[in-house]
Amino acid sequence: MSLKSFFILVSLSIGFCASTVGLPSLGHAQHLPRAAPEEVGMSSQHLAEIDKLVAEGIAAKKMPGCVVAVGHRGKLVMLKAYGNRRLFPEPEPMQTETVFDMASITKPVATATSVMVLLEQGKIRLRDRVADLIPEFGVNGKDQITVLQLLTHQGGLIPDNALKDYYDGKQKAFERIYNLETYVDPGSKFVYTDVGFLLLADLVEKLSGKNVHEFSQEHVFGPLGMTETGYVPAESLQARCAVTEQRDGEWIRGQVHDPRAYELDGIAGHAGLFSTAEDLAVYAQMMIGGGKYQGERILSEATVQMMTKAYTVNGGTRGLGWDKATRYSSNRGELLSESAFGHGGFTGTVLWVDPELDLFYIFLSNRVHPNGKGSVNHLAGRIGSVVASAIDSFPNDEGGPAEAGKPVKTGLDGLLESDFAALKGQRVGLITNHTALDSQGQWIVPLLHKAPNVNLTAIFSPEHGLAGKLDIPEIGDSEENATGLKVFSLYGKSRKPTPEQMQQVDCLVFDIQDIGARFYTYISTMGLAMEAATKAGKEFIVLDRPNPIGGEVVSGPMMDEDKFSFVGFHSLPVRHGMTVGELAKMFQQERGLKELKLTVVPVENWMRGQLYDETRLLWVNPSPNMRNLNQALLYPGIGLLETTNLSVGRGTDTPFEIFGAPWINAQQLSRKLNGLNLPGVRFVPRMFTPEASVFVEEKCQGINILITDRQALQPLRTGFAIATTLRKLYPDDWEVDRYLRLLGNQKMLDLLKSGVHFDSLMDNARAGLHLFQARRLKYLIY
């Protein structure tokens, strides 16, 4: 049994909140990072209008209190508690960590999401007739009702059957549901129904062998680290629960309010889920991220699109489990875009998500306390309008966020602002290349050479040389023209500073722009130099720089232990989502370098979700064939292919944006790839002749890769889709075994050779990512 499975099973056995008994989350920071509204292009002054609206609502006794959360561009910009979470017998203040009965938000977040997971597993289809899956249901005119109709409330079922039908236990309750007559003709009318979602949860249990509580924990909330979300709260959480009404003379706290769910032991498809604002924010961000959060994929991009697109029903549009625009949408902000989807709950809970605006808002209250007479839907809708109108800047034409926040400063900027304090009186060995510029475009070599009380004695250069222009197997030593200093190559006879070279310095300073992929060798150079510094007893100083392809997304596979090399220096996934400073901290602890004195001069004003063009720093080609940010984004997937008999565009004007070979039929390949409908990318057939590297001076047919949506692009999934398609179309021409060199994972290669679907490769590429995420958390600086 895997470690992840063990933690899930243990958490299920004690209630849904693993953190209450000291269990770790499953490899994720549980909550979204915080940011001031202005940092992500929102107005804090405008958001302050929410305080007035909530105060009016509490004064009018619409609810005793509430928690409001707002997220934009991957950051939580507002999390605030108001009023009380109970009034009787004694008032108790509302807190941001209050646990709420989600009521009907259960429908999309737990039940519909679980159904979509089953769809991806091939166990269910939207067109399936429910009676084919539950034969005893197919009576009294219900034999043609489909799963899709249940998800959109068009199954013709009664909104609620009699409560007494549930008094004899779960088995009898479902026997009575199976025998219900239709309320209206199936497919003819939108009738909001709890019964339909009770049936959907029943399908989850019949098809998976696990009830909706167990299934959603294993496949949704557990992987997302949502440790405060689930059915039947653990006893340790109940004190944090908002109180609702009275049942049998006792205040309901930590038990489901809905009477039918209560009779089903708190676990049902229509109600029963409990959560907090911060946990629910993680789910919302996962949906904005196309089914993925912090490297953990819950649903595919295509599934999220299917789940949240508009399905026409009489009187409006619905998603699968979601509201979009119906008579139930009074809690929807009027300024949200057409892509928005959301839901409300009877107890006073509201969630709306708008992928187009990269925005969500959460309003959680216990409006039924104390007497069931509160009302919050219109209030929540007004709050949603305030939230949407607080956006000062919108996404740009390329789909990325508009520029926001302060300009990013590099570690070199920090060193300059400190007047080189860390280097005073030291003989400095500088490991660098042409990328080591400050925010004003000044190069580090002359800055250190001229700095008072700093003695720059040696320069070390990585692959591609000091100027970053060489693309040859081995580079010799040279001299830096302006200073006359010797430049020792770390991509020649030695890949690390020698003991003789280390005698010339008191410390090593590393300042090179990385690209964010495991096999980009600058991080290998850093790690080897750290080993040399440790052995020589010298200090190692890293001037940190942003990860140009972002610091949030992590994608596998992990590398087999027997395949470490200069292009696979450490146990990392292909896309590690770390800066060089963070990696240095990891290398120090995990490679036995604890005696090393390590200093990281941090970046300022960088947010992990930012790509390089959002930093306002100058782009300098980090290597000869890395010429723009699009190429950097594609590199984790396309770069894996370059050790095979493919040209990946080296020797052309657009490396990593094209690939091909003389044996490829470009039009055939483009048709196949475009037919996969991969998010954020399109494929154009073309011919090209590389002037260097693989197939030099040979005419190749291949593909020009166009990024159509950077936010939706999934580089590794795109690369695996290309690899599986090449394997299928050209099994005798493409030398697939050479793919292992950078892939570094034998199981992945074996699966590729066996002909699996590329999403199966993605699933297997997640192996070990949870453990890596847990390791990674200890070293993150930003």
Side-chain angles (χ1 to χ4, degrees), residues 190 310-311 313-319 322-330 332 338 340-342 352:
F190 167 68
Y311 294 80
V313 299
N314 63 299
T317 55
R318 296 283 302 188
W322 294 104
D323 193 7
K324 289 184 71 70
T326 66
R327 63 181 180 272
Y328 293 89
S329 303
S330 59
R332 182 191 197 276
E338 291 184 0
F341 54 92
W352 278 90

Side-chain angles (χ1 to χ4, degrees), residues 471 625 627 646-652 688-698 700:
D471 203 6
N625 288 284
R627 301 174 187 175
L646 278 176
S647 168
V648 293
R650 292 181 184 271
T652 74
F688 64 96
T689 303
E691 295 180 0
S693 193
V694 180
F695 299 126
V696 59
E697 303 299 338
E698 290 189 58
C700 295

Side-chain angles (χ1 to χ4, degrees), residues 137-143 145 177-183 186:
F137 175 75
V139 296
N140 297 326
K142 303 192 303 298
D143 57 306
I145 296 173
I177 289 173
Y178 298 155
N179 284 308
L180 286 173
E181 296 183 355
T182 55
Y183 183 67

Side-chain angles (χ1 to χ4, degrees), residues 522-552:
Y522 296 157
I523 60 174
S524 304
T525 296
M526 179 178 71
L528 291 170
M530 290 174 67
E531 292 177 356
T534 304
K535 189 172 183 179
K538 304 297 173 73
E539 183 179 3
F540 197 89
I541 300 171
V542 178
L543 305 183
D544 209 3
R545 293 184 171 272
N547 186 320
I549 59 175
E552 291 183 339

Side-chain angles (χ1 to χ4, degrees), residues 491-671:
Y491 195 70
K493 294 180 181 178
S494 176
R495 297 287 171 94
K496 65 172 67 176
T498 65
E500 294 75 21
Q501 292 162 356
M502 291 302 300
Q503 290 178 5
Q504 302 177 33
V505 303
D506 299 314
C507 68
L508 287 178
V509 175
F510 182 92
D511 190 3
I512 299 175
Q513 178 63 62
D514 183 42
I515 211 66
R518 177 181 67 207
F519 42 82
Y520 209 62
T521 63
Y522 296 157
I523 60 174
S524 304
T525 296
M526 179 178 71
L528 291 170
M530 290 174 67
E531 292 177 356
T534 304
K535 189 172 183 179
K538 304 297 173 73
E539 183 179 3
F540 197 89
I541 300 171
V542 178
L543 305 183
D544 209 3
R545 293 184 171 272
N547 186 320
I549 59 175
E552 291 183 339
V553 178
V554 174
S555 300
M558 301 296 294
M559 178 169 275
D560 295 341
E561 291 185 3
D562 62 351
K563 294 179 177 60
F564 292 146
S565 68
F566 191 61
V567 289
F569 178 74
H570 193 66
S571 178
L572 300 171
V574 170
R575 187 173 178 180
H576 49 69
M578 300 176 75
T579 68
V580 289
E582 292 169 337
L583 285 168
K585 292 174 62 180
M586 176 179 277
F587 292 172
Q588 180 190 35
Q589 291 299 312
E590 296 186 353
R591 298 186 71 86
L593 309 179
K594 296 182 181 180
E595 295 180 2
L596 175 66
K597 182 183 178 183
L598 173 66
T599 300
V600 176
V601 183
V603 172
E604 293 184 21
N605 306 324
W606 180 65
M607 295 180 288
R608 301 201 73 85
Q610 283 183 311
L611 302 181
Y612 198 84
D613 62 343
E614 299 168 73
T615 65
R616 308 189 202 178
L617 296 172
L618 293 169
W619 174 272
V620 179
N621 297 346
S623 57
N625 288 284
M626 192 62 65
R627 301 174 187 175
N628 59 50
L629 183 56
N630 280 351
Q631 293 169 9
L633 287 167
L634 291 168
Y635 184 66
I638 305 305
L640 284 174
L641 297 164
E642 70 171 307
T643 54
T644 72
N645 59 329
L646 278 176
S647 168
V648 293
R650 292 181 184 271
T652 74
D653 293 332
T654 53
F656 305 113
E657 294 180 83
I658 62 172
F659 68 91
W663 40 265
I664 283 176
N665 181 318
Q667 292 173 315
Q668 177 194 41
L669 182 57
S670 67
R671 283 195 304 272

